[in-house]
Amino acid sequence: FLPPSYTESRKPMSLAEQIAPLLPHLRRYGRALTGTQKAGDAYVRTLLEAIIADEAILDRELDARVALYRAFHTIWSSVDVGMADQEPLSGVENVVTKRLAHVTPVNRQALLLTAMEGFSNQETATILGVSASEVAMLVDAALKEIDRQIATTVLIIEDEPIISMDLEQIVRELGHDVMATVVTRDEAVSAISARRPGLVLADIQLADGSSGIDAVKDIFARFSVPVIFITAYPERLLTGERPEPTFLITKPFLQSTVKAAIGQALFFNAQESAAA
């Protein structure tokens, strides 16, 4: 249970000394899992009380961090700390919490342990008491649950037919609806007048010489919406002028890159959450 740097020449670390540096990470995990820091800390406190009562709750054959999270999983799965007066969160944190709350608990745990806490599939399997192959399936299921929550309508502003067809395919494979594919700034403005998109994929240089940047500025003048710029001219967005490119993909692109950007843009979009 001692860290790898321990040698026989050193004085063995106490259990408290081993656990203390790990607690900030465990508190972060507890907050993400339960929804608030208050609730997460209540479970961490319950775990520490259990360790004081019986150190055997920690498997001393395991890596210290894996053992601690495994014990936390046992507590979280079996104890109700009765947090009825949780304090509400705000902003992006609230968006993420609400969406994670709708993911099946064990799927959510697998996703948080691997994506946020950085555990390997094998370590996560040890913590959750499942096989490594099951962890991969749980994470995939969690991501699909999140995708279903954030399904939306997408406006594509792209003048190259092959690329626009590729983007349409990616969008539909993710379960979203393509509300329109336009090739000029004026067409973009016309499209949003008829229907409000939940996401915009925009090229910069358009068919009639107009600018995708200006098209997005026109959209922002009416409402807020997440935008992903996909362009062969990324330097045109590095001027310090708005709209700032939160998501910028350079052509040629990988489908996996576009998919990841779409997922992130929608997952952290407060406007979508408020409308849900």
Side-chain angles (χ1 to χ4, degrees):
F1 194 66
L2 294 173
S5 60
Y6 173 76
T7 65
E8 292 297 327
S9 62
R10 292 183 56 187
K11 179 182 177 180
M13 295 175 65
S14 69
L15 184 59
E17 289 173 327
Q18 295 174 60
I19 290 177
L22 306 176
L23 291 181
H25 301 279
L26 186 64
R27 292 183 66 231
R28 175 184 63 189
Y29 174 66
R31 177 171 196 153
L33 189 61
T34 63
T36 70
Q37 192 66 69
K38 188 174 182 180
D41 285 349
Y43 277 101
V44 172
R45 183 167 55 252
T46 301
L47 170 62
L48 295 178
E49 291 171 351
I51 293 173
I52 292 172
D54 183 6
E55 292 185 6
I57 192 175
L58 295 175
D59 188 339
R60 304 295 285 269
E61 298 299 318
L62 297 174
D63 168 82
R65 189 162 177 252
V66 172
L68 187 64
Y69 277 70
R70 183 176 181 178
F72 182 90
H73 170 67
T74 299
I75 294 295
W76 187 79
S77 301
S78 59
V79 177
D80 182 2
V81 299
M83 298 301 299
D85 58 340
Q86 296 183 16
E87 298 176 1
L89 303 177
S90 59
V92 171
E93 189 175 52
N94 189 43
V95 175
V96 175
T97 297
K98 285 182 177 179
R99 285 179 172 156
L100 283 174
H102 288 87
V103 178
T104 304
V106 69
N107 296 353
R108 184 166 74 246
Q109 287 175 275
L111 178 61
L112 291 172
L113 287 168
T114 54
M116 185 175 76
E117 297 302 318
F119 286 108
S120 67
N121 281 9
Q122 185 56 61
E123 290 171 330
T124 299
T126 300
I127 292 169
L128 298 180
V130 300
S131 69
S133 60
E134 285 181 276
V135 169
M137 290 188 292
L138 292 171
V139 170
D140 183 61
L143 293 173
K144 287 180 178 177
E145 288 183 66
I146 291 172
D147 284 342
R148 285 194 292 271
Q149 293 178 49
I150 59 180
T152 191
T153 56
V154 181
L155 172 63
I156 298 174
I157 308 173
E158 171 60 64
D159 66 328
E160 297 182 48
I162 294 178
I163 293 179
S164 64
M165 289 174 62
D166 196 14
L167 292 176
E168 288 178 13
Q169 178 184 349
I170 292 171
V171 166
R172 293 195 172 102
E173 284 180 353
L174 291 174
H176 307 300
D177 174 47
V178 178
M179 60 167 273
T181 299
V182 300
V183 299
T184 67
R185 175 184 180 180
D186 288 343
E187 288 182 6
V189 172
S190 177
I192 65 169
S193 298
R195 187 179 181 188
R196 175 172 174 168
L199 173 70
V200 176
L201 304 181
D203 190 6
I204 291 179
Q205 185 168 301
L206 302 178
D208 62 349
S210 60
S211 167
I213 299 175
D214 291 332
V216 169
K217 287 181 179 178
D218 292 337
I219 294 171
F220 280 176
R222 300 191 181 201
F223 48 76
S224 176
V225 61
V227 175
I228 300 173
F229 285 106
I230 303 176
T231 179
Y233 307 98
E235 67 279 358
R236 297 187 185 182
L237 284 167
L238 303 178
T239 62
E241 299 177 358
R242 291 195 176 277
E244 296 292 341
T246 303
F247 296 96
L248 175 61
I249 297 174
T250 303
K251 296 178 182 177
F253 54 77
L254 296 175
Q255 286 197 2
S256 59
T257 302
V258 178
K259 289 180 178 180
I262 290 174
Q264 290 295 301
L266 291 176
F267 188 80
F268 291 103
N269 178 35
Q271 295 297 326
E272 281 287 306
S273 178

